[in-house]
Amino acid sequence: MNISGLLREYIINNLNEEKLLYHVSSCIEKQLKEWEPDSDIVLIRGAGEYIVLISYNRVVFEVKIPNWVIEAKKKRDLYSLDRYIWSELIRKRIDIKERTSYIDWILQSYQ
């Protein structure tokens, strides 16, 4: 397993829901900033869910994630939560400007 895989496994196994979601959101934001430097992500903790607001290419996307989904995704695989958020963004018609290794890895089971 590579270093990023080991790091992700540590993160999945040792962080609570909020910190895990913050980490995943940071990974997504990093990718979006490569395409559009003005991109931004804001996490809002609600009652029994998190709301991820993503500002990208002058459009705001909202992804609601119930707490139970985060817990279930933690148990599924290392990138399952990333995949969940990206699949919601694709469903909402986010513009993926280029396929990077991160995007290919995340979306390999989505397509």
Side-chain angles (χ1 to χ4, degrees):
M1 182 181 287
N2 62 26
I3 292 296
S4 64
L6 287 172
L7 177 60
R8 181 57 78 110
E9 185 173 1
Y10 174 82
I11 288 167
I12 292 289
N13 292 327
N14 293 294
L15 295 183
N16 64 27
E17 292 171 353
E18 187 170 352
K19 289 181 181 178
L20 173 61
L21 185 56
Y22 179 79
H23 173 75
V24 168
S25 295
S26 296
C27 294
I28 292 169
E29 183 177 42
K30 181 179 175 185
Q31 178 61 69
L32 294 174
K33 283 187 179 289
E34 284 182 26
W35 296 330
E36 185 66 42
D38 292 335
S39 299
D40 196 24
I41 293 184
V42 175
L43 296 178
I44 301 170
R45 186 178 188 171
E49 69 179 4
Y50 288 89
I51 299 169
V52 183
L53 296 176
I54 300 160
S55 173
Y56 173 71
N57 209 17
R58 296 184 212 151
V59 177
V60 176
F61 298 90
E62 179 181 302
V63 177
K64 292 182 180 181
I65 309 171
N67 292 351
W68 68 267
V69 168
I70 297 171
E71 244 345 278
K73 297 298 179 186
K74 272 179 80 168
K75 294 174 184 169
R76 185 161 182 194
D77 71 59
L78 299 179
Y79 291 91
S80 186
L81 186 55
D82 304 61
R83 205 168 284 116
Y84 178 86
I85 295 170
W86 278 107
S87 65
E88 286 296 304
L89 293 172
I90 289 168
R91 191 177 63 74
K92 294 176 185 218
R93 306 274 189 232
I94 196 166
D95 178 29
I96 294 180
K97 294 189 177 182
E98 71 178 274
R99 296 292 292 244
T100 63
S101 58
Y102 170 72
I103 292 296
D104 282 341
W105 179 255
I106 296 304
L107 300 182
Q108 70 185 351
S109 67
Y110 177 74
Q111 309 258 334

